[in-house]
Amino acid sequence: MSSQKLTAAVSNYGGLGSFGAHGLKPEAIREVIREIKGITSKPFAMNLWVSMEDEGTLTSTEEAFHRSLSPLTKHIESVGGDLPSYRPYEPIRFEDQVQVLLDEGIPAFSFIYGIPSKQILNAFHHKGISLIGTATTVDEAIALERAGVDVIAASGFEAGGHRGSFLQSSEDSLTGTMALVPQVVDAVRLPVVAAGGIGDARGIVAAFALGAEGVQMGTAFLACEESGASSLHRKAILSGQAKQTALTRGFTGRLARGVKNRLLDNFNEKDIEILPYPLQRALVRHISIPAEKAGQIELLPLWAGQSASLSRHTDVRTLLDTLVKETSGIGEAVQSWSARRQREGVLE
C-alpha cells in the first residue's frame, strides 16, 4: 500500500520514503508528487513498474473475462457487490508515467519488473535523480549494474506483494533474502539494499552483516495508520492472522505474497483461470471493495510478507524510534561480545 502521508513521514524521520505509483495515470502521479512535496522537504522515491502488462493482455477476450469471473461470482454476491461487465483494456504507458517523474524533478526513482531504456536512464541521470533497481536474482543485479543504476534493492521471496522478476519467471526466481543479499553484494560494486522478511531490528542487523548498506521494509509499515491500508488489513497484521502467507497469481495476475485466507486459497485451486496482469487486478477489485465494506477479511487480497507477525506498532514515528533504538542496542551487544571473545583468544 502507498500513501503520501507514510512516504513523507518516513522521509521526514530520515529514511527514504517511497510511493508505489504503478497503477496511476500520469496526471494522478503528478498530483501525488506535489502532495508529497507539500508535506516534506526531504528526499523521497517514486516507484514504477517497467513492465506494465503481461503477454496476452491486449488479446484477452470477453469470454476469458467471464471464465475468470465465474469463481468470484459467489463471493461478490455474498458481500452484496455488483457483478462487473466486460470492458476493453485501456493501457497506461510507462513512458508517460516516467515523463511526469522527470518533469517534477523527484529525488529518486525506483523500479521493478525490468530495466528502463538507456535513453530513459540517461534522462534521469542528467537531472541528478538517483536510480534504484530491484533484483530478485544475482543475474538481475548484474544486469542492473551494467545498465547504470545507482543502487540495487535485492528482494528476497519472503517479501510481501509482487515478485519483480524480469530475467526469468517469478516462480524460477524465488531466492530468500539470507541467500540473495550476500551473493549480490559479492557480484556487484554498487550499494545493495536488502528487502524481504525484514520486520524488526534483528533483521536490520542481519542485513548489514550480510553486506547490505541499507534495508527496505514494507510490511512493518502496513500496520501503521499512515500507511493507507484498510483497518481490516491492519487488523489482520496486528492480530496474528498474517502469520501465514502464501504466493498467488490470483490477486493481480502476477505472482505476489499475501495473507493466506479463503480468497487466496480459492485462487490457488487447480484449474482456476487467471487473467493476465493487469486485467486480473481490475477484476479482483470487484470483490475487494464490497468485501471491505462488509468486513469480510477472508475475501480480501491482503499483502503481507513472511515477517508480518513481528509487527507491533501503529504509528510511523514509534516504529522508527524502536527500530533505531533496538538496532543500536543489538549492534553494541555484538561489538561487546566480539571484543570479549577476542580477549579470550577465541576470535582472531
Side-chain angles (χ1 to χ4, degrees), residues 2-9 19 31-33 35-36 39 226:
S2 291
S3 80
Q4 295 89 319
K5 192 173 182 181
L6 174 61
T7 302
F19 188 99
E31 292 179 9
V32 166
I33 292 172
E35 288 177 17
I36 294 173
I39 49 181
E226 298 94 331

Side-chain angles (χ1 to χ4, degrees), residues 92-173:
I92 300 175
R93 296 182 68 247
F94 171 70
E95 292 78 10
D96 294 338
Q97 293 178 317
V98 160
Q99 190 58 53
V100 173
L101 305 190
L102 289 167
D103 291 343
E104 295 298 315
I106 61 169
F109 170 37
S110 68
F111 49 86
I112 66 173
Y113 283 116
I115 304 175
S117 68
K118 184 174 180 60
Q119 180 181 5
I120 288 176
L121 294 179
N122 287 342
F124 279 94
H125 277 142
H126 181 72
K127 290 209 166 203
I129 299 172
S130 298
L131 296 170
I132 306 169
T134 302
T136 64
T137 66
V138 174
D139 287 343
E140 288 178 352
I142 293 171
L144 286 164
E145 181 176 53
R146 289 174 177 169
V149 305
D150 301 301
V151 177
I152 293 174
S155 179
F157 87 116
E158 302 95 329
H162 290 85
R163 305 301 305 136
S165 309
F166 60 91
L167 289 183
Q168 299 183 73
S169 71
S170 296
E171 285 84 354
D172 290 330
S173 306

Side-chain angles (χ1 to χ4, degrees), residues 253-325:
R254 288 186 174 177
L255 194 67
R257 183 176 296 281
V259 177
K260 197 175 188 301
N261 60 8
R262 182 148 55 102
L263 182 64
L264 189 149
D265 287 341
N266 287 169
F267 278 133
N268 284 351
E269 290 175 0
K270 186 179 180 181
D271 298 327
I272 292 292
E273 187 166 333
I274 305 297
L275 292 170
Y277 179 89
L279 303 183
Q280 183 73 11
R281 178 173 177 263
L283 177 63
V284 171
R285 285 182 60 83
H286 293 282
I287 177 63
S288 60
I289 293 174
E292 184 174 329
K293 290 181 180 178
Q296 291 296 321
I297 202 166
E298 285 293 320
L299 296 178
L300 282 171
L302 302 170
W303 307 120
Q306 290 186 329
S307 64
S309 62
L310 297 175
S311 298
R312 299 286 185 272
H313 304 291
T314 58
D315 70 274
V316 172
R317 176 161 287 277
T318 301
L319 170 59
L320 290 171
D321 281 342
T322 300
L323 291 173
V324 170
K325 179 181 179 180

Side-chain angles (χ1 to χ4, degrees), residues 226-248:
E226 298 94 331
S227 71
S230 69
S231 59
L232 290 176
H233 198 161
R234 290 188 280 112
K235 178 182 178 182
I237 293 173
L238 291 168
S239 68
Q241 182 175 351
K243 65 183 178 182
Q244 283 192 303
T245 65
L247 293 165
T248 185

